[in-house]
Amino acid sequence: MSRIPMHTLESAPVAARPVLETLVARSPTPGVPINLHAQMAHAPSVLIGYMAMRKALDDYGSFAPQTRTAILLTVAAADKCAYTVALNTLIARQAGWNEDETLALRKGHVQDVKLAALLAVARQSATNHGHVDEPTWQTALDAGWTDAQLAEAFAFVRLAQYVDSFVNYARTDVDAPFAQKSVDGSASIDQDMSLTVLLIVEDQDRRRAVYEQVLGRVWSANATRSSSSSTTAGSWPMWADRRQTMSLKYPWRLRTTRTWLAPR
């Protein structure tokens, strides 16, 4: 039984609504957020933080969609999280893996030697609190992965576990569309339903536009609220101005900094 409330657009905290509204537009159930997002919205920092992590990996990640989804599904299976196994199976199918291949990914039986070496690192990291033994690490290097790619794999493992842990923490129920399509190999997969739900889409410009829409709306909403707030010393708007000035001094921080300016 779920232990954290699931929100609609109407009941969600104000700070979470801009993000949730954009995600709802891409939900397999019209007008209703998927259970994961509906519960994350209960604490805006959880939902916005999740989206910011995904944006960073999509903007700067180097792995192909099949490799990304293989890591996500491998970690979900290692964590024995029914919700994300179902969801990431659907996403893996969308990325090009067939039914037999997704089952193999779940079980750790991957024929591609290079990919298997990377997934072994991901699996050990997931099950051993980040620890990976030297033989497994060296096998991945020998297979052709660089140390930078292995570092990036860590980010995907932790993103997957962020979701897995939240699902277990909140006792999130599996959405019917995910459960049905993940176990039924003959079911057709809606091109707009799965990858766009988690914002893993093949078109880079489209993906960035979606993230800008999601996180940009959070900033716009917060800026609107701040303009009507007090500007006395120590108030939130004054703090926001200082943070924004710092961001302009360090342009690489701008996107991330302004995402977090949500008053509590």
Side-chain angles (χ1 to χ4, degrees):
M1 180 178 179
S2 296
R3 55 162 57 124
I4 290 180
M6 292 195 297
H7 285 280
T8 63
L9 286 176
E10 292 73 23
S11 68
V14 173
R17 288 179 190 173
V19 177
L20 196 60
E21 184 176 353
T22 302
L23 293 173
V24 164
R26 291 160 177 80
S27 171
T29 306
V32 180
I34 66 171
N35 294 343
L36 173 67
H37 298 154
Q39 286 186 304
M40 282 185 166
H42 194 56
S45 60
V46 175
L47 181 62
I48 297 170
Y50 163 72
M51 293 299 296
M53 291 168 67
R54 297 211 69 93
K55 183 179 187 301
L57 287 172
D58 277 341
D59 278 355
Y60 303 106
S62 63
F63 291 130
Q66 279 198 325
T67 304
R68 297 180 182 208
T69 55
I71 295 173
L72 296 175
L73 184 52
T74 294
V75 174
D79 286 345
K80 300 179 181 179
C81 181
Y83 187 99
T84 54
V85 165
L87 184 56
N88 285 311
T89 295
L90 183 61
I91 295 172
R93 293 286 306 280
Q94 180 75 39
W97 297 105
N98 64 37
E99 182 185 9
D100 290 339
E101 289 169 335
T102 60
L103 291 174
L105 288 170
R106 292 187 192 186
K107 297 176 181 178
H109 301 157
V110 180
Q111 294 183 349
D112 184 288
V113 174
K114 183 177 181 180
L115 180 59
L118 177 65
L119 297 182
V121 170
R123 190 178 301 105
Q124 276 202 17
S125 177
T127 56
N128 296 323
H129 305 288
H131 295 286
V132 178
D133 62 44
E134 192 59 30
T136 301
W137 186 270
Q138 189 59 50
T139 296
L141 292 174
D142 293 342
W145 299 105
T146 66
D147 51 6
Q149 288 173 315
L150 296 183
E152 182 180 331
F154 170 85
F156 279 96
V157 171
R158 292 300 165 252
L159 173 62
Q161 292 201 305
Y162 181 89
V163 176
D164 292 347
S165 296
F166 179 82
V167 165
N168 292 333
Y169 188 76
R171 295 181 178 173
T172 308
D173 294 326
V174 178
D175 302 76
F178 301 149
Q180 292 170 1
K181 292 183 181 293
S182 67
V183 299
D184 183 359
S186 64
S188 61
I189 299 178
D190 186 335
Q191 294 295 315
D192 292 328
M193 186 182 79
S194 55
L195 290 186
T196 51
V197 169
L198 291 185
L199 306 180
I200 305 176
V201 293
E202 294 181 1
D203 185 274
Q204 184 74 14
D205 291 336
R206 181 185 176 196
R207 181 169 64 231
R208 287 179 175 172
V210 170
Y211 277 119
E212 291 298 332
Q213 181 182 6
V214 172
L215 297 179
R217 291 178 64 189
V218 173
W219 170 248
S220 297
N222 291 338
T224 300
R225 287 197 295 274
S226 70
S227 65
S228 61
S229 303
S230 170
T231 55
T232 56
S235 67
W236 182 82
M238 293 279 290
W239 170 243
D241 289 340
R242 288 195 293 271
R243 289 292 298 275
Q244 189 170 14
T245 299
M246 180 181 71
S247 299
L248 293 174
K249 184 178 179 181
Y250 303 100
W252 61 271
R253 292 184 181 176
L254 183 56
R255 288 183 180 177
T256 302
T257 302
R258 63 184 189 179
T259 300
W260 304 113
L261 297 182
R264 298 181 183 277

